[in-house]
Amino acid sequence: MTSQAKTPNTPDELLHYRLSLRLGPVHARQRLAIEQEAEALVFGRNHRSFHLENLANAPGLIRFCLQATGLLKRARANSRMLTTAHNRFVLPDLPEAFEGLRILHLTDLHVDMDEENLQAVMRHIEPLAYDLCVLTGDYRKLTRGPVEDSLDGMARLREAINGEAYAVLGNHDSVRMVPALEDMGYRLLMNEMAPLERGGERIYLAGVDDAHYYKAHNLHRAGDDIPPGGISLLLSHTPEIWREAAHAGYDIFLCGHTHGGQLCLPGGIPLTLDANCPRQLGRGAWQVNGMQGYTSPGAGTSVLNVRLNCPPEVTIHTLSRGPT
């Protein structure tokens, strides 16, 4: 006699059931278990990497320091003054049908951090022209706790995004958000690849689960079905897996996580990037071992809705076969 799977009856059982179907039982169990362990932790999984964002009194400490130096009002206003950065990736082997493809890149939105910032993001992207949107994680304010407020913000943002929207999760995001985000129309890439078709030709968009804290990324699973010679773009929340991605053969690497430092010294010199990567990978365009990358400083803020010498950014990436 064969045993039948138990029918999910409670919301938690239904969530676990949907995640197991969507991600596979191992990935779902791994991500959920790590999230449960992390709920009350201030230190990273190895108990050596300190995360300021997990300290309950961190916002008060930063606010006090900015008030003491007379910079709080300016820093808060800065956090809502978005800029649009334009970046061009030159790929000589790019299929002709994708010449001029424009990608709107949003990251580190932390939509439940500051309603005025979210409204500013939606107003800012409304007049922009692009062919598809990618989002590279950190949609929730905190690294733990409820997800409802962040899901509400992401639903309103989805209405402001034109066309397709592909996304990956960051270290602030719970895997519990995946079903709701996909129901809204976001296409989550959880160690997966989606072919993009245009004029009968293809390029390949891959995305991995968070590699900063959860270490749930799998570049091989994401890229194994990309054919040899196919142009590939990788979405990762963090730049920290740049070396692995370059050796895996990805052509383009899009990420965020660092906030560009968020609070920077004059000249945009970051005090911290909270990422185990070379400083030159902490913000803007870069190239390593033949792979082109871009680390966006993000459109939102973490810990406190303030920025200094590091404006919030949405990015338009344009793909081209040659320089203009």
Side-chain angles (χ1 to χ4, degrees):
M1 181 182 293
T2 58
S3 59
Q4 294 183 346
K6 179 183 175 182
T7 302
N9 296 313
T10 68
D12 281 348
E13 288 177 349
L14 180 59
L15 174 66
H16 285 226
Y17 176 72
R18 287 192 65 177
L19 288 175
S20 292
L21 287 179
R22 175 65 181 81
L23 307 178
V26 174
H27 189 172
R29 281 198 305 269
Q30 174 193 4
R31 194 56 149 83
L32 285 167
I34 295 173
E35 286 185 22
Q36 290 167 0
E37 282 185 354
E39 283 289 317
L41 292 182
V42 172
F43 289 85
R45 290 172 58 200
N46 58 11
H47 301 286
R48 292 190 298 273
S49 60
F50 178 76
H51 298 287
L52 180 65
E53 62 204 8
N54 291 339
L55 273 179
N57 62 349
L61 176 62
I62 295 173
R63 186 182 295 109
F64 172 80
C65 293
L66 290 172
Q67 282 177 329
T69 55
L71 292 172
L72 179 60
K73 185 177 180 180
R74 172 186 161 194
R76 185 166 288 148
N78 287 349
S79 72
R80 298 160 182 164
M81 298 175 65
L82 277 90
T83 61
T84 302
H86 292 271
N87 175 61
R88 180 175 293 271
F89 288 116
V90 176
L91 301 160
D93 295 328
L94 183 73
E96 289 187 16
F98 287 90
E99 175 66 39
L101 182 80
R102 296 159 300 180
I103 301 172
L104 172 64
H105 181 190
L106 303 175
T107 193
D108 298 276
L109 293 153
H110 302 282
V111 294
D112 50 338
M113 166 69 77
D114 177 27
E115 178 64 24
E116 288 191 37
N117 174 267
L118 176 58
Q119 293 293 331
V121 171
M122 293 190 292
R123 288 193 303 270
H124 194 85
I125 67 174
E126 182 179 6
L128 298 180
Y130 52 92
D131 298 296
L132 76 154
C133 178
V134 299
L135 303 94
T136 51
D138 274 9
Y139 314 119
R140 182 169 62 166
K141 171 183 176 179
L142 299 176
T143 57
R144 60 194 180 279
V147 300
E148 288 75 17
D149 287 347
S150 57
L151 289 174
D152 173 73
M154 290 299 289
R156 287 184 285 140
L157 177 67
R158 185 63 185 95
E159 293 178 358
I161 295 173
N162 296 321
E164 293 181 296
Y166 294 87
V168 296
L169 296 185
N171 61 292
H172 276 247
D173 303 318
S174 170
V175 74
R176 293 176 286 131
M177 300 166 68
V178 169
L181 289 171
E182 293 197 323
D183 289 346
M184 294 172 197
Y186 294 100
R187 172 80 180 272
L188 271 293
L189 296 174
M190 303 290 289
N191 301 324
E192 296 166 314
M193 179 274 293
L196 304 178
E197 298 189 7
R198 210 180 198 201
E201 297 182 292
R202 284 185 170 189
I203 61 174
Y204 302 88
L205 180 65
V208 291
D209 197 357
D210 174 57
H212 174 71
Y213 181 82
Y214 293 103
K215 308 296 184 187
H217 61 293
N218 188 325
L219 287 167
H220 311 296
R221 184 177 172 189
D224 275 349
D225 291 333
I226 297 174
I231 296 295
S232 56
L233 292 75
L234 178 67
L235 307 182
S236 168
H237 174 58
T238 176
E240 291 166 282
I241 55 171
W242 58 276
R243 183 180 288 107
E244 300 167 59
H247 288 309
Y250 289 97
D251 296 293
I252 292 175
F253 187 113
L254 301 180
C255 61
H257 176 68
T258 67
H259 289 237
Q262 188 168 314
L263 295 174
C264 295
L265 299 174
I269 302 170
L271 297 175
T272 178
L273 294 171
D274 189 27
N276 182 21
C277 66
R279 283 241 157 182
Q280 62 266 31
L281 274 61
R283 180 180 179 182
W286 45 267
Q287 186 165 342
V288 176
N289 295 335
M291 181 179 72
Q292 300 176 68
Y294 193 95
T295 305
S296 169
T301 54
S302 184
V303 183
L304 193 66
N305 57 319
V306 291
R307 279 184 178 266
L308 282 176
N309 303 307
C310 183
E313 173 187 305
V314 303
T315 316
I316 299 287
H317 302 289
T318 302
L319 306 189
S320 178
R321 292 166 57 88
T324 56

